[in-house]
Amino acid sequence: MRTIDLLPKPKPKNSHSRTRISQPSFAQDKRKETGRTVGRQYQSVLLMILISIVLLGGVGARLFYLQLSQGEVNREKAENNRIRIVPKQPVRGNLFDRKGRVLATTRLTHAAYLWPMAQKRVDWQENIRKIAQLLGVPQDSIEEKVEQAGFNSPTLIRIARSLTPAQITAIEEYRSEINGVEVDIETVRHYPHGKMASHVMGYTGELNAEELARRRKDGYRMGDVVGQMGVEAAFEPLLRGEWGGLQLEVDGAGKVMRVLGQKEAKPGKDVTLTLDLEVQKAAEAALGNRKGAVVALDPRDGSVLAMVSYPRFNPNVFSSQITPQIWKELQETKPFVNRAMRGFPPASTFKVVTQTAGMETGKYPPNTILSTFAYLNVGGMALGEWNRAGFGPMGYVRAMAWSSNTFHGQIGRGVGGPTLIKYSRLYGFGQETGIELSEESPGLIADDAWKRKMYNWEWTDGDTVNMSIGQGFTQATPLQVAVMFAVPANGGYKVKPHLFKDSLDNKDKWRTSLNFKPSTIKILREGLRAVVSSGTGKALNVPHLPPVAGKSGTAEAPPGKSHAWFGAFAPYDNPEIVVVAFAEHSGGGGGSVAAPMVRQVMEAYFKAKPPKN
């Protein structure tokens, strides 16, 4: 550093002058330039004081704004930053069969949760990417849930269910690299019998955003698991229970300091169904891998003992993340169609309705005898007899036993289309049965108005004759056909099929008298018994079963193979069970394909083993 010497320089030795000449200083020069000589040394101090006043005033104003104007908002934010809400989902009610055997219950598993407030919104995207990669969960599904809950939500959000040990280990190993993810125990739906009765059981699944918006008014919340099909959906209000949860205080690291509040979750109610597990198993085995359905019910009150449809599915897969492979299989097999409640041509099983219309109108009384032919010519349409020759003169009982088309075609043409349609609907065809399941189809009983609307053509005698043998436009579900067979079985009552178990003493709650003549019921029963004892249903005329009555049906179903039907009830004198078997596009007759299926179910119900050969 260079110093400025303000002292006079030494005089040279040879100099004769002793006079000192003072040199002006730098400060003196500046004073001359500015003209200021007083107070200059206090300028910096004053400037610092002024700046301090301005800064303190701004800080004070900001504190005033934060504490007074925005105090409540900030206190709430601070509270949320240390308060965590841990929801506790209720345990879903169990499903039992009529004898108390478990059909659906819950099991413990692990789920992954996110806490949105664990970090800033801008940091979540990378965090979610890592979590999705660890869990094998689509990143967009996690992002959607966090967006839906809100990034300021103090509530944990479930992002994955039924974690595997490998997923849990991965979370723990990489915990230092991910924020806000936790693993906790939860209960999920479990079906111990797998695919059995899957169409009746249905399945459960978490509400998506659209479903949540629709159900929020009913008290549902994000993360709710609800019944999506079958009795799980039908009895949802009973099974669901009520949410509970914990309110926790946590520190900056997310460590729980104390429990601030707790509400116990209220479990759902158990529901006992009318299904009989052993009969259901027998029906599943009888249908096997055939496309079709089997329905068994109690004709006294409409209790459904078994309901089977194939293809079927395993409802357990919906209790965890569905893999792409499983989803592909579900798309290919389309197993969610419950064929027990879908309409198909009922074929000759419908002749019960035709005979009823003939006798109840009085136009064809119980002692009627009609000639039969190789075919019946109606309005240019030929209705052929299945044996291509006719059976000669016959009455109701023999016509039912041998399933004569020309006999029943004459009855149908004689009573007329409107009358046949009336008795069809009286039996419950063309309308839902009222069973609790929402997947039910009403089938179809066409009339003149329907045909004009669909085909711009009037109803003809040919349409009536086709209907009289269960063909043409007529569509009936296996469940509807079972309800039809219950009428002659129980003495003339139309039952309402149901799955909620009620006392048999309360049977009048589930049935309505059709007020048929006793003679009509008597002839129907005799004819159906003759089918098994001497007609097309001899496969059920076996000594180890009580006397059985029933009817076969073989429906034309172009362009595919024919459908096979058989409906029956037993014991004949005091019926306890109705069984209907349907095989879609089986290509065989009802007596040869469907009747053995009915027999197998009845053997299970009556615990009757066939004799060994």
Side-chain angles (χ1 to χ4, degrees):
M1 180 176 178
R2 182 182 178 185
T3 59
I4 300 175
D5 190 0
L6 298 180
L7 297 176
K9 295 181 180 180
K11 185 179 179 182
K13 292 182 177 180
N14 297 328
S15 175
H16 298 281
S17 176
R18 298 180 176 266
T19 305
R20 290 185 182 177
I21 301 175
S22 300
Q23 300 294 327
S25 68
F26 178 78
Q28 289 173 333
D29 289 343
K30 291 295 292 182
R31 281 194 297 270
K32 289 179 180 180
E33 290 175 6
T34 61
R36 289 183 56 188
T37 60
V38 180
R40 181 65 182 175
Q41 61 268 36
Y42 302 110
Q43 180 177 355
S44 299
V45 176
L46 292 173
L47 183 60
M48 290 179 64
I49 292 173
L50 180 61
I51 292 173
S52 298
I53 291 172
V54 172
L55 289 176
L56 289 174
V59 172
R62 180 61 178 169
L63 288 174
F64 175 84
Y65 172 78
L66 292 175
Q67 291 183 6
L68 298 182
S69 178
Q70 294 293 309
E72 187 63 31
V73 174
N74 290 311
R75 277 191 292 272
E76 184 177 346
K77 286 183 178 180
E79 187 74 9
N80 287 340
N81 283 332
R82 70 181 187 87
I83 301 300
R84 180 182 302 181
I85 298 173
V86 181
K88 291 296 180 183
Q89 196 168 15
V91 176
R92 196 168 178 83
N94 297 310
L95 291 170
F96 298 102
D97 86 332
R98 66 191 300 115
K99 297 179 180 177
R101 293 168 291 200
V102 176
L103 298 175
T105 185
T106 55
R107 63 179 176 84
L108 294 177
T109 185
H110 290 85
Y113 296 84
L114 282 186
W115 188 29
M117 296 192 70
Q119 61 181 14
K120 295 180 180 179
R121 180 170 185 165
V122 294
D123 299 325
W124 265 116
Q125 187 170 8
E126 177 62 19
N127 198 32
I128 288 176
R129 185 191 66 78
K130 293 179 180 178
I131 294 170
Q133 188 174 8
L134 283 177
L135 296 178
V137 177
Q139 181 175 340
D140 55 356
S141 71
I142 301 178
E143 291 173 347
E144 181 181 350
K145 289 183 178 181
V146 177
E147 288 280 357
Q148 186 179 353
F151 286 88
N152 291 324
S153 173
T155 304
L156 291 174
I157 304 168
R158 183 177 57 230
I159 59 170
R161 309 181 71 200
S162 297
L163 299 182
T164 64
Q167 289 173 315
I168 297 173
T169 301
I171 290 174
E172 294 304 320
E173 287 181 350
Y174 291 89
R175 184 165 294 281
S176 61
E177 299 180 23
I178 54 179
N179 293 317
V181 62
E182 295 185 13
V183 175
D184 199 2
I185 293 175
E186 71 164 356
T187 59
V188 297
R189 205 56 162 164
H190 177 60
Y191 303 88
H193 304 288
K195 294 183 178 181
M196 196 200 73
S198 58
H199 294 88
V200 177
M201 295 294 100
Y203 62 94
T204 62
E206 187 173 340
L207 287 173
N208 58 35
E210 181 180 343
E211 292 170 329
L212 178 59
R214 189 174 65 253
R215 293 196 181 207
R216 197 181 291 276
K217 65 181 185 299
D218 298 321
Y220 286 88
R221 61 179 70 185
M222 185 176 177
D224 255 323
V225 174
V226 301
Q228 301 282 1
M229 180 182 168
V231 296
E232 291 282 18
F235 300 134
E236 170 68 18
L238 294 174
L239 296 167
R240 62 175 294 203
E242 295 181 9
W243 280 77
L246 296 174
Q247 189 178 38
L248 306 175
E249 182 180 2
V250 298
D251 60 15
K255 182 180 178 181
V256 176
M257 305 298 293
R258 61 190 175 116
V259 176
L260 300 177
Q262 181 174 357
K263 178 186 176 182
E264 293 292 337
K266 185 178 179 180
K269 295 180 180 178
D270 295 337
V271 174
T272 299
L273 303 179
T274 59
L275 292 183
D276 185 308
L277 183 60
E278 295 305 319
V279 178
Q280 180 73 28
K281 287 180 178 179
E284 302 262 358
L287 183 60
N289 294 334
R290 298 184 185 93
K291 274 190 176 181
V294 175
V295 175
L297 56 80
D298 187 331
R300 296 168 291 184
D301 69 345
S303 299
V304 177
L305 304 175
M307 182 182 286
V308 182
S309 178
Y310 184 86
R312 42 190 171 262
F313 61 93
N314 188 344
N316 286 310
V317 302
F318 297 97
S319 296
S320 58
Q321 184 72 25
I322 298 179
T323 65
Q325 178 61 32
I326 291 176
W327 181 249
K328 180 181 178 182
E329 292 175 4
L330 293 174
Q331 293 296 306
E332 291 174 350
T333 58
K334 295 179 172 59
F336 300 108
V337 176
N338 188 348
R339 285 171 168 77
M341 299 193 300
R342 286 291 179 271
F344 303 92
S348 292
T349 62
F350 192 83
K351 290 171 181 175
V352 170
V353 177
T354 304
Q355 288 200 4
T356 301
M359 289 184 279
E360 284 295 302
T361 60
K363 192 163 187 176
Y364 297 91
N367 60 354
T368 295
I369 302 294
L370 297 175
S371 296
T372 60
F373 315 95
Y375 65 89
L376 187 66
N377 195 337
V378 182
M381 183 195 79
L383 175 66
E385 196 63 85
W386 64 268
N387 70 350
R388 301 181 181 181
F391 298 95
M394 56 173 36
Y396 279 111
V397 173
R398 188 161 171 258
M400 185 71 83
W402 291 103
S403 195
S404 170
N405 287 336
T406 58
F407 177 94
H408 292 91
Q410 291 178 76
I411 298 290
R413 181 177 61 179
V415 300
T419 298
L420 192 58
I421 290 167
K422 169 190 170 183
Y423 280 94
S424 302
R425 291 174 177 164
L426 196 61
Y427 267 97
F429 292 112
Q431 57 197 279
E432 294 180 1
T433 66
I435 194 170
E436 298 93 336
L437 305 183
S438 62
E439 298 85 18
E440 182 177 18
S441 165
L444 175 63
I445 294 297
D447 55 17
D448 182 71
W450 179 88
K451 189 180 178 186
R452 288 179 185 274
K453 179 181 178 180
M454 297 299 295
Y455 297 100
N456 195 27
W457 196 257
E458 65 181 4
W459 189 266
T460 66
D461 284 346
D463 296 322
T464 302
V465 170
N466 261 335
M467 177 180 280
S468 71
I469 62 170
Q471 293 282 174
F473 303 119
T474 306
Q475 298 279 317
T477 71
L479 182 60
Q480 290 173 333
V481 174
V483 170
M484 180 196 72
F485 276 108
V487 174
N490 63 30
Y493 293 89
K494 186 179 79 170
V495 296
K496 180 180 178 179
H498 58 280
L499 288 157
F500 186 83
K501 188 177 182 300
D502 203 351
S503 171
L504 189 59
D505 296 334
N506 201 23
K507 61 185 177 183
D508 289 338
K509 172 183 176 182
W510 302 102
R511 66 185 197 175
T512 305
S513 176
L514 296 180
N515 297 313
F516 290 158
K517 302 170 186 176
S519 58
T520 300
I521 298 298
K522 179 176 180 296
I523 294 299
L524 288 175
R525 286 173 56 85
E526 290 177 0
L528 295 171
R529 173 61 185 150
V531 170
V532 175
S533 62
S534 60
T536 59
K538 291 180 180 179
L540 281 156
N541 193 29
V542 291
H544 60 281
L545 285 177
V548 179
K551 183 71 187 77
S552 62
T554 306
E556 295 179 1
K561 297 178 180 180
S562 59
H563 303 318
W565 289 88
F566 204 96
F569 57 84
Y572 175 68
D573 294 332
N574 187 22
E576 300 175 12
I577 185 172
V578 168
V579 182
V580 171
F582 167 73
E584 182 180 344
H585 296 301
S586 64
S592 60
V593 174
M597 296 161 59
V598 173
R599 183 182 65 199
Q600 193 170 339
V601 175
M602 287 194 169
E603 286 170 347
Y605 178 82
F606 292 110
K607 295 181 173 55
K609 295 183 180 180
K612 295 181 180 180
N613 295 330

